[in-house]
Amino acid sequence: IRKETGLSQESFYTHLNDTSFYITDPAQIQQAFEQTRKLVMQNLPQLFSNTKIPQLEIRKGNSDRLAQTPGYYDDNVFYYNSFNNHVNKRQVDWLFLHEAVPGHHYQSVVLAQVKVSEVQKLFYYMGFAEGWGAYAEEYGSELGLYKTPYNRLGKWEWGIVRSIRLPIDVGINYYGWTNEQALNFWKKYIKGQDDIALREIERVRRWPAQVITYKHGAAKLMEWKAQLIKKQGSRFDIKDFHSRILSHGSLPFFMIRENLFNNQ
């Protein structure tokens, strides 16, 4: 994108923080997410067999506990947070995919339909939950989103944030980094997003190790998908792959892998 704009690296980073990327009108923010929901639901049958899920509500976030996150999901509602009273256009697509459909909302609905033992109900695997949400972001194009390079860039921008959070989490919670040390590490790799850095540092302090689950979980699902494609070739069925991941409830990764590769 930078080459196409003809901007220098410094100017390009300045460009990415331009207010032209901000949606400030509350009605327009709501409309943007509702339009995203419409496109995703229209295209969902391309990737998933089970498309009978309840209508998802979309609301502005109201949780102080989750105020540091771009958005969150709870009980059939996708909540978006508008920092400084705006939402960045580049966040709309990937955030909806992660928190709503086919991310956490879809995942929660399907898991609720699965019959599991009383013992299994006692366990919740964060790597499976957030790994699936991050994995779901890979399918924006197939679901009618990521129509501009900037929309796709939004996904990769947050992917970089997730990557940098990993050593910051270890630095803070194992090595005892100060906020200043964590911020300096952030600035070494991410330019012009210090406001996000401060939110994420606070998040890591309040929720140790949680940020690690996104990258790890998504990487395992993508790895298994690649292995099955190589093994099955033209027989590979993406709908069956997704059904096998979700059809046994929340499980640790070694059990999910058994479900994927059993009789393949």
Side-chain angles (χ1 to χ4, degrees), residues 7-37:
L7 297 173
S8 66
Q9 181 171 317
E10 183 177 352
S11 297
F12 183 66
Y13 281 121
T14 301
H15 166 63
L16 290 179
N17 286 283
D18 190 87
T19 56
S20 63
F21 288 106
Y22 296 169
I23 311 174
T24 56
D25 181 82
Q28 291 182 359
I29 295 173
Q30 184 74 21
Q31 183 180 27
F33 283 113
E34 289 180 357
Q35 177 62 20
T36 300
R37 176 181 62 190

Side-chain angles (χ1 to χ4, degrees), residues 16-139:
L16 290 179
N17 286 283
D18 190 87
T19 56
S20 63
F21 288 106
Y22 296 169
I23 311 174
T24 56
D25 181 82
Q28 291 182 359
I29 295 173
Q30 184 74 21
Q31 183 180 27
F33 283 113
E34 289 180 357
Q35 177 62 20
T36 300
R37 176 181 62 190
K38 180 180 178 180
L39 290 171
V40 169
M41 295 309 299
Q42 287 175 347
N43 292 286
L44 196 65
Q46 296 185 40
L47 300 175
F48 297 90
S49 299
N50 185 351
T51 58
K52 295 182 179 179
I53 59 175
Q55 173 78 326
L56 171 78
E57 292 187 52
I58 301 173
R59 302 177 190 167
K60 182 179 178 180
N62 57 12
S63 171
D64 292 337
R65 184 175 64 87
L66 296 172
Q68 286 81 20
T69 64
Y72 55 97
Y73 170 77
D74 184 48
D75 195 22
N76 292 333
V77 182
F78 160 58
Y79 296 92
Y80 57 85
N81 284 325
S82 52
F83 300 107
N84 298 319
N85 297 314
H86 73 261
V87 167
N88 193 308
K89 295 175 183 177
R90 300 196 302 275
Q91 287 196 342
V92 172
D93 286 1
W94 73 260
L95 183 59
F96 184 89
L97 292 169
H98 183 102
E99 300 293 347
V101 182
H104 292 324
H105 175 62
Y106 183 87
Q107 180 185 37
S108 297
V109 169
V110 173
L111 295 185
Q113 298 171 353
V114 176
K115 292 183 179 180
V116 298
S117 68
E118 293 300 316
V119 173
Q120 189 176 347
K121 292 178 182 178
L122 300 175
F123 296 92
Y124 176 80
Y125 297 94
M126 184 64 71
F128 172 58
E130 295 300 354
W132 173 265
Y135 167 80
E137 297 167 26
E138 298 294 329
Y139 294 98

